[in-house]
Amino acid sequence: MDEQKPELEKKLHVVVFPWLAIGHLIPFFHLCISLARKGVQISFVSTPNNLQKIPKIPQNLSSLITLVSLPLNHDQNLPESAESSNDIPIEKTQYLKKAFDGLELPLTNYLINSKPDYIIHDYASYWVPKISGNLGIPCVFFAVFTGSFMGFIGPPEVLLDEERDRNLKPEDFTTTPKWITFPTDIVYRTHELLEYFKGAPPQDDQTHDVDDLENDGYKAVPDTRRFGMVIRDSNFIAIRSSPEFESDWLSLLHQLYQKPVIPLGFLPPPLVEDKEESNNWVEIKTWLDKQKQGSVIYVALGTEAALSQEQVNELAIGLESTGLPFFWVLRKPLNNSEQSLPLGFEDRTSGRGLVYMKWAPQVKILGHPSIGGFLTHCGYNSVIEGLAFGRVLVLLPMLNDQGLNSRLLDGKKAGIEVHRNERDGSFSSESLAEAVKIAMAGDEGQVLRNNAKEMIEIFGNEKLNVSYVNDFVQFLKKHKN
C-alpha cells in the first residue's frame, strides 16, 4: 500500500477588523493584500457601505480574501447612510463610536463560527481582546499611526489613569510627556487640540449630549481608554513603521508596552486599475502631461477635514501668488454648503492651475513625473504615498494625529510646515505661498527636496517593505495557538 502523503500545511486564517474611517480601512486593506500574497487566508470584516469603499481585490488574490459584512445599528443622531467618520462632522464622532461598539455581539458570533487563528483589530475596538481571549484566539492591535504618535500618547497605565483623563486639558498635550526619554519637538499646537476635543466625549455639564448618548445605558468611552485597553490587553502590537524611519520611537514603544511591537513597514498601496479610476485618470493625465517635469504642486487635504470659506480663499490666493503650476483636489463639504473660489481665480490661473472637484486617483497623480511637491493635511496614508515617490511635502495638518505627523516630517526635513496662528489655526495666503515656494523652488528648499527623494529608499522600497511583512507572517505562524 502506498505511503500516505503528509498533510499540506493548513493556511493561516486571519480576521481583520478596522475602525470605521477610510484612513483606517485602507491600510487594513493593504495589509490584507500583503498577507494574502504570502498565502494567508483573510476575512475582512466591516459594515456594508464601508466594504463598498475599499479598493477592488486583485483577481489573483480573490480566493484568499473574503469580505464579511456586519450591518451597523442605525443611531438616530447620525445621517441615515452614515457608516464612517468621513460621512459625519467631527462633533458626531461619539455617536459613530456608539454604533461601532454595537458590533461586539455580531463580531463575537462570527468569530465563534469561523474559528480564525488570529484577529487583527484597531484602536477603537477595545472590547476585542476580551472576546478573543475567551475564545482562545490571539489578537493583534494594528496601529495605523506613526511610532511617534503612539509614543506621545503614552503607555497603558497613563492612558487608563481615570483621574488624569478627567482632568485632561488641551494644553497638557503641548509639552513633551515625561515618559519620552530623548529630545523631541513632536508636540501638539493649541489650535490642533481644540479641534480634536470637538470629537471627544461630552462632559457631564453638557447634559443634553450626555442624555442622547446614554439614553439606553451606553457610556461614551474616550479614545485614551480605547487605546489603553487595546495596548494592554492585545497579545501583540503591529505598527505601520520601520526602524529605518523611527528607530528611537519604536525602541520606546517596546519599553512602554513590555510586549512584542512588530514593524510592518509602510504597506505602500499597489497600483491597481479600475474603471472609475481610468475614466478620471485620462482627464487628469492629459492636463499633467502638458506641465514640465517636477513643476506641479499637488494639493489635497484628505477626506475628513472640511475647509472653511476663509481657508479656501487663503489657499487659493496663496497658490495663485506662487506663480507655480498646481493641481488642487477640493472636496465638497459634508453639509453641501457652497464653497466659492475667489472671483476671477480660475481665469487668472487657467493653464497653470486646475481645481478638481471630483474623486481623483491620488497615487497615480503623485507618481506622475510633472508632480514635484505635495501640499498635504499630513494624514499618514497620504504621507506614505507622497514619500514613496519622493515628493517634497508642504505640511498643513487639519485634525487628529496630523499635527504630530507634521512635526515629525518637519523635523526630518522632508517637508516644511505652513506657519499658522497658534490659537485659532488660521493661516494667511502669504504664509502658504512662502512655504510652497521654499519647498518647490527656493534654494533653502533644496535640502528638503533632496531628503524627500531619499525617503523613496524607505517608503518606496518594495523589497524592504515586503521583508517586514514576511517577518510578520513568520511571527504569526510561530505564535499561533
Side-chain angles (χ1 to χ4, degrees):
M1 191 168 68
D2 291 340
E3 277 188 10
Q4 200 169 20
K5 292 182 179 178
E7 188 180 350
L8 289 172
E9 183 183 3
K10 181 176 173 288
K11 275 193 175 73
L12 206 60
H13 177 205
V14 173
V15 168
V16 300
F17 183 58
W19 161 238
L20 309 177
I22 290 296
H24 292 243
L25 290 157
I26 295 301
F28 267 78
F29 181 77
H30 291 159
L31 176 60
C32 291
I33 295 294
S34 296
L35 293 176
R37 285 179 176 149
K38 302 299 167 191
V40 178
Q41 192 78 44
I42 303 291
S43 297
F44 188 103
V45 181
S46 193
T47 62
N49 288 351
N50 285 317
L51 292 177
Q52 295 293 319
K53 293 175 182 176
I54 61 173
K56 289 183 178 175
I57 299 167
Q59 196 168 0
N60 65 319
L61 300 177
S62 58
S63 63
L64 288 165
I65 301 177
T66 303
L67 302 182
V68 179
S69 179
L70 297 182
L72 196 67
N73 285 334
H74 177 65
D75 187 282
Q76 62 182 5
N77 296 287
L78 296 174
E80 188 66 40
S81 61
E83 292 186 9
S84 87
S85 60
N86 308 73
D87 303 326
I88 58 170
I90 193 169
E91 294 84 359
K92 297 281 188 183
T93 300
Q94 291 308 315
Y95 298 112
L96 185 64
K97 294 240 172 85
K98 176 184 176 183
F100 178 74
D101 290 342
L103 294 174
E104 180 175 355
L105 181 57
L107 180 68
T108 303
N109 291 334
Y110 175 74
L111 293 173
I112 290 170
N113 292 326
S114 60
K115 300 181 177 64
D117 296 303
Y118 286 92
I119 178 166
I120 301 176
H121 68 116
D122 214 329
Y123 86 96
S125 47
Y126 66 95
W127 31 267
V128 160
K130 183 178 178 183
I131 296 169
S132 63
N134 289 340
L135 297 176
I137 303 167
C139 71
V140 181
F141 165 40
F142 173 30
V144 300
F145 308 92
T146 61
S148 54
F149 172 80
M150 295 303 298
F152 183 88
I153 64 174
E157 59 268 24
V158 168
L159 291 161
L160 294 171
D161 183 338
E162 291 189 19
E163 185 176 351
R164 172 184 178 267
D165 208 46
R166 277 193 298 271
N167 296 315
L168 274 178
K169 301 180 292 296
E171 52 267 32
D172 296 332
F173 296 94
T174 59
T175 57
T176 304
K178 63 187 179 190
W179 53 84
I180 296 178
T181 54
F182 46 84
T184 179
D185 296 325
I186 297 176
V187 295
Y188 276 108
R189 310 243 194 265
T190 303
H191 67 86
E192 293 164 344
L193 291 156
L194 296 175
E195 190 67 25
Y196 172 78
F197 273 66
K198 286 184 188 176
Q203 301 301 311
D204 290 340
D205 57 345
Q206 297 169 290
T207 52
H208 176 70
D209 286 342
V210 171
D211 288 346
D212 281 347
L213 270 168
E214 299 184 358
N215 58 9
D216 58 358
Y218 177 82
K219 185 166 180 59
V221 181
D223 281 352
T224 46
R225 188 158 184 80
R226 289 177 190 269
F227 272 110
M229 292 179 73
V230 160
I231 294 165
R232 183 193 67 189
D233 299 339
S234 295
N235 299 91
F236 313 115
I237 315 293
I239 186 163
R240 189 170 48 153
S241 189
S242 79
E244 291 83 0
F245 184 58
E246 296 187 286
S247 59
D248 287 349
W249 290 100
L250 294 182
S251 297
L252 176 66
L253 295 182
H254 280 282
Q255 297 167 29
L256 296 181
Y257 298 165
Q258 295 295 301
K259 65 179 62 178
V261 178
I262 307 149
L264 291 177
F266 298 95
L267 305 169
L271 278 173
V272 292
E273 293 281 353
D274 64 54
K275 193 168 183 181
E276 179 190 8
E277 182 168 314
S278 297
N279 290 341
N280 287 16
W281 178 235
V282 170
E283 177 186 1
I284 294 166
K285 184 176 183 295
T286 300
W287 188 87
L288 291 173
D289 285 345
K290 296 173 184 175
Q291 313 304 319
K292 291 180 182 176
Q293 184 169 340
S295 67
V296 179
I297 179 81
Y298 171 58
V299 183
L301 297 174
T303 55
E304 293 196 28
L307 296 179
S308 67
Q309 183 62 61
E310 181 186 2
Q311 289 173 321
V312 170
N313 290 342
E314 296 300 321
L315 186 47
I317 295 165
L319 289 172
E320 181 181 353
S321 69
T322 65
L324 297 168
F326 63 86
F327 186 95
W328 178 8
V329 178
L330 180 59
R331 180 174 175 264
K332 195 173 183 180
L334 280 171
N335 61 8
N336 290 319
S337 62
E338 285 299 316
Q339 281 184 336
S340 56
L341 294 162
L343 190 64
F345 168 77
E346 289 179 280
D347 290 336
R348 292 191 302 273
T349 59
S350 178
R352 74 167 175 90
L354 182 63
V355 181
Y356 199 76
M357 296 189 179
K358 295 181 280 188
W359 179 86
Q362 179 160 291
V363 175
K364 288 197 164 209
I365 293 168
L366 286 166
H368 193 279
S370 73
I371 300 295
F374 182 12
L375 198 166
T376 173
H377 63 307
C378 307
Y380 197 22
N381 292 330
S382 289
V383 165
I384 288 169
E385 290 164 4
L387 292 179
F389 292 106
R391 307 308 183 203
V392 66
L393 304 176
V394 179
L395 308 162
L396 191 66
M398 290 288 168
L399 43 84
N400 299 337
D401 58 327
Q402 295 162 12
L404 297 188
N405 295 347
S406 183
R407 306 302 103 75
L408 174 68
L409 295 157
D410 191 73
K412 289 184 176 292
K413 298 197 180 305
I416 181 170
E417 191 165 346
V418 175
H419 178 74
R420 299 166 86 160
N421 181 291
E422 180 71 28
R423 294 300 305 173
D424 65 14
S426 61
F427 60 90
S428 67
S429 57
E430 292 85 2
S431 63
L432 185 127
E434 180 185 17
V436 170
K437 285 191 283 189
I438 289 171
M440 293 291 289
D443 290 343
E444 58 188 304
Q446 190 61 54
V447 67
L448 306 179
R449 296 189 288 277
N450 291 344
N451 287 343
K453 282 188 170 60
E454 288 176 8
M455 289 289 177
I456 295 173
E457 289 305 310
I458 299 175
F459 289 85
N461 186 329
E462 184 179 3
K463 185 178 179 182
L464 178 67
N465 282 291
V466 166
S467 73
Y468 283 112
V469 175
N470 290 344
D471 291 346
F472 182 54
V473 171
Q474 292 309 310
F475 183 92
L476 294 179
K477 287 179 177 177
K478 182 179 177 181
H479 291 88
K480 81 183 187 77
N481 289 344

